[in-house]
Structures are given as C-alpha cells and as structure tokens.
C-alpha cells in the first residue's frame, strides 16, 4: 500500500495543483474553468482527436523511456532532442535510397535510427566515462551540432530534395513504410504504437528481471557501493547512455514511417524536452510514463478546441508547466511524509518492545 501511495500520490497531487492554478488563471481572465474542461473533453470524441492523442502519446512515451533509462543511473540525458532528430534524418536518407522487401526495408530503417541515436549518445558517454565531462553539458552541445549536421545533410547538393518552398529527404517507398490501423474518418493509428508498447515491456523486464537492470539501478543509487560489489561503474555509464540514445533514435519514427515518409526542415521538434517532463511525471515507471504521455498528448490535442469558445490555448501551457514544477515538489513532500511515518512506526515498535521487556522483568521478579 505504501509503495502504491508513493508512486501514484505525487502525480495526482501535481495534476490537481496544476488544474487549480489554471482554474484561477481562467477566472482572473474572465473565462469559465468548467467550460474549458467541457470543451477539452468533448473534443476527444470529435474527428481524429482520439487517434491523434494515442499517436502523440506513443511518441512522447518513447522519448520518456529514453530519458528514464538515464535517470535510473542518475544521468540526465538532455540530448534526446538532437539524438532523435539526427537519427530520423539519417534513417530517412537511408530509407529513401534503398529498395528492399517490405518488412526488411522497415527493419533496416528502424535499426539505422537506433544505431545513429546510440552513436550520437555514445560521444557523451565516452566523455563522461573517461574524462568526467558532465553529460548535461555535452548532450546540450551535441544538440546544437546535430541541428547543424541535419541542415547540411538535407541540402539540395547533399541528400535533400527541393519540394516547393521546403527541403526534404527523398521519400521512403511504400515497402519501407510502417502500416497502421485505419479507423476511417477517425484517423489512422501509427503502427509504431505497438513498438512503443513493446519498448515499455522491455524496459520493465530489463530493470526488474535482469542482472543488468539491478546493476543499473544499484550504480545509480550508489556508484561506490556498486563498484565495491563488482560492478564496473564506467561500463554502466557508457551502456546506460548508449541504450538511452538507441531508444531516443526511435522517437521520430512513428511520424516518419506512418505519416510523413520523409524528413524535412519543418519536421516536428521538441519531443526530447517533452520526454523529460513525461519521465518526471511518470517517475520512470513504464505504466506511470504511459499515463503521463497520454495526459500530455490529451492536453496538446484537445487544447485546439479552446479557441472556438474564446479561451486562450496558452492555458494548456500553464498547466503543463505547472505539472512539471509541482510534480517535483509533490514527490519531495510525499517522500518526507513517508519518511516521517516510517520513523514513527519504528519509534512505536521500540516503545512496544521496551514495554514488553519491562513487563517480562516484573513478572520474573
């Protein structure tokens, strides 16, 4: 019961606090919080919103899993943004240049994306392991380098193709595309949604059912104790960041293989930073991350309907930011509460033991 409360209570408190803050902001601006909530919920059942929420949730989920792998070792891989964008660009170039059998073509694109993401994160991993360079600094710098490298790769005289006012890679043939599930007018569910679910299961199994997962968490809790127990801390840093980068490399594939079929200068950005927020919200637990990803996607997609009733959609940004800030505070409050409760239980047990010993001494005398 205590474990469930520790996991579920902080996100719940954060969401309630964020909702109250948004309600106050709406009241100050003269809008009705109930109207805004009703419009957002109603929007889910209209058009392709429900499918769009799941599709976006899958993208956020993969990004958050990549962040969570680093968090398990107290590593802050803030370079998810550069890793997934560069991986999607290179995978699109390779996918557009090859003509292979359907399943093989798709698998090659996925493998290329994972390898590029892992290699890009590996630079920060080696700097961290052998030179002690903070992964926060190195991954931030690598994000900027990745942006410049992408611009170079998709120039018309490199691998880019000029399409109107936009530049993109060569389109991926149908054999390399990942088919989704069509719901008619309700939209098409990305096939990579299933891959995201499998990644979540793999993440859970890796951490809770393998020796590597135990060593990963042990190294994060206490590198000194882990080293004393025979764990190579340097090796774990490299593996954790490379694995995080490999998962990050898959972030852009749901849209690349399920909708866009090419990488352009205007391809979506910002998923890496959203993944950090979702990982914090889900407390690095695969189920919690899934709920956080769906919540974030719901706020993103349903907010579009707020303009129809005169409510500024920026209220959603306020709520998302409030969730990120308050979830950290909520975790600390719950942690201190649980610690105080545990201390009271231990003190009560000691008092009971002392009372029982005194009673036994009286009976013996």
């Amino acid at each position: 019961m205590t474990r469930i409360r520790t996991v579920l209570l902080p996100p719940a408190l954060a969401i309630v606090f964020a909702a109250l803050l948004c309600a106050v902001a709406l009241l100050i601006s003269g809008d009705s919080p109930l109207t805004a909530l009703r419009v957002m919920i109603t929007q889910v059942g209209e058009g392709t919103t429900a499918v769009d929420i799941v599709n976006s949730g899958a993208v956020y989920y993969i990004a958050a899993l990549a962040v969570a792998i680093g968090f398990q070792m107290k590593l802050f891989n803030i370079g998810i943004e550069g890793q997934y964008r560069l991986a999607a660009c290179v995978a699109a170039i390779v996918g557009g240049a090859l003509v292979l059998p359907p399943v093989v073509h798709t698998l090659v694109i996925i493998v290329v994306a994972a390898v590029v993401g892992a290699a890009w994160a590996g630079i920060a991993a080696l700097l961290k392991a052998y030179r002690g360079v903070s992964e926060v600094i190195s991954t931030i710098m690598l994000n900027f380098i990745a942006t410049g490298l992408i611009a170079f790769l998709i120039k018309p005289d490199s691998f880019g193709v000029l399409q109107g006012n936009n530049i993109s890679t060569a389109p991926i043939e149908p054999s390399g595309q990942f088919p989704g599930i069509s719901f008619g007018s309700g939209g098409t569910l990305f096939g990579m949604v299933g891959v995201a679910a499998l990644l979540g299961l793999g993440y859970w199994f890796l951490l809770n059912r393998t020796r590597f997962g135990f060593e990963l968490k042990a190294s994060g809790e206490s590198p000194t104790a882990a080293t004393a127990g025979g764990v190579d801390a340097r090796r774990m840093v490299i593996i954790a960041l490379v694995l995080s980068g490999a998962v990050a490399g898959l972030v852009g594939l749901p849209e690349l293989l399920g909708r866009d079929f090419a990488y352009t200068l205007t391809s979506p950005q910002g998923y890496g930073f959203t993944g950090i927020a979702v990982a914090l919200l889900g407390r690095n637990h695969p189920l919690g991350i899934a709920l956080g990803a769906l919540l974030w996607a719901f706020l993103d997609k349903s907010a579009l309907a707020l303009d129809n009733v005169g409510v500024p959609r920026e209220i959603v940004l306020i709520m998302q930011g409030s969730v990120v800030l308050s979830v950290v505070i909520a975790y600390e409050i719950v942690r201190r509460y649980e610690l105080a409760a545990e201390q009271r239980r231990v003190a009560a047990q000691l008092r009971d033991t002392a009372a029982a010993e005194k009673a036994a001494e009286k009976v013996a005398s």
Side-chain angles (χ1 to χ4, degrees), residues 144-224:
F144 289 101
I145 297 174
T147 300
L149 188 56
I150 290 169
F152 169 77
L153 289 174
I154 60 176
K155 288 197 306 180
D157 54 351
S158 296
F159 299 99
V161 177
L162 187 61
Q163 296 183 351
N165 294 326
N166 199 4
I167 301 176
S168 73
T169 60
I172 298 173
E173 296 294 327
S175 60
Q177 299 170 10
F178 203 128
I181 302 174
S182 177
F183 291 92
S185 60
T188 300
L189 191 69
F190 291 154
M192 286 289 292
V193 170
V195 175
L198 291 176
L199 286 174
L201 290 175
Y203 170 78
W204 173 85
F205 182 83
L206 181 71
L207 291 180
N208 298 284
R209 293 293 185 270
T210 66
R211 178 176 177 176
F212 171 77
F214 171 78
E215 293 178 349
L216 185 70
K217 292 187 288 187
S219 299
E221 291 296 330
S222 176
T224 303

Side-chain angles (χ1 to χ4, degrees), residues 1-298:
M1 181 64 182
T2 300
R3 173 64 178 169
I4 296 176
R5 182 170 62 239
T6 304
V7 172
L8 298 181
L9 187 57
L13 289 176
I15 293 171
V16 170
F17 175 77
L20 291 175
L21 186 62
C22 288
V24 171
L26 284 170
L27 290 173
I28 293 175
S29 64
D31 297 309
S32 170
L34 294 179
T35 300
L37 180 62
R38 175 181 57 80
V39 170
M40 292 175 68
I41 294 177
T42 303
Q43 177 68 15
V44 176
E46 298 181 0
T48 63
T49 304
V51 172
D52 290 342
I53 289 174
V54 178
N55 287 338
S56 294
V59 176
Y60 297 157
Y61 186 63
I62 298 174
L65 286 179
V67 175
I69 293 172
F71 279 168
Q72 293 294 340
M73 263 203 69
K74 304 297 188 292
L75 297 172
F76 196 175
N77 182 8
I78 205 170
I80 304 295
E81 183 74 12
Q83 291 155 22
Y84 94 79
R85 291 181 60 209
L86 182 61
C89 178
V90 175
I93 292 172
V94 174
L98 296 177
V99 179
L100 297 171
V103 177
V104 176
H105 197 171
T106 304
L107 289 177
V108 167
I109 295 173
I110 293 174
V111 171
V112 168
V115 170
V116 172
W120 201 245
I123 299 173
L126 294 175
L127 290 173
K128 173 74 174 180
Y130 291 98
R131 288 294 180 263
V133 178
S134 170
E135 74 281 359
V136 175
I137 302 300
S138 60
T139 51
I140 288 177
M141 295 298 101
L142 285 169
N143 281 344
F144 289 101
I145 297 174
T147 300
L149 188 56
I150 290 169
F152 169 77
L153 289 174
I154 60 176
K155 288 197 306 180
D157 54 351
S158 296
F159 299 99
V161 177
L162 187 61
Q163 296 183 351
N165 294 326
N166 199 4
I167 301 176
S168 73
T169 60
I172 298 173
E173 296 294 327
S175 60
Q177 299 170 10
F178 203 128
I181 302 174
S182 177
F183 291 92
S185 60
T188 300
L189 191 69
F190 291 154
M192 286 289 292
V193 170
V195 175
L198 291 176
L199 286 174
L201 290 175
Y203 170 78
W204 173 85
F205 182 83
L206 181 71
L207 291 180
N208 298 284
R209 293 293 185 270
T210 66
R211 178 176 177 176
F212 171 77
F214 171 78
E215 293 178 349
L216 185 70
K217 292 187 288 187
S219 299
E221 291 296 330
S222 176
T224 303
T227 301
V231 179
D232 188 341
R234 178 181 293 178
R235 170 177 166 271
M236 294 305 298
V237 167
I238 294 175
I239 293 177
L241 281 176
V242 168
L243 186 59
S244 174
V247 176
L250 305 180
V251 172
L253 295 191
E255 294 175 338
L256 176 65
L257 300 181
R259 186 191 64 196
D260 300 333
F261 312 125
Y263 189 88
T264 71
L265 285 177
T266 58
S267 290
Q269 303 178 19
Y271 292 150
F273 300 109
T274 300
I276 297 172
V278 173
L280 289 172
L281 183 59
R283 207 180 186 186
N284 303 325
H285 190 281
L287 181 58
I289 293 174
L291 296 176
L294 289 174
L295 172 63
W296 209 271
F298 161 74

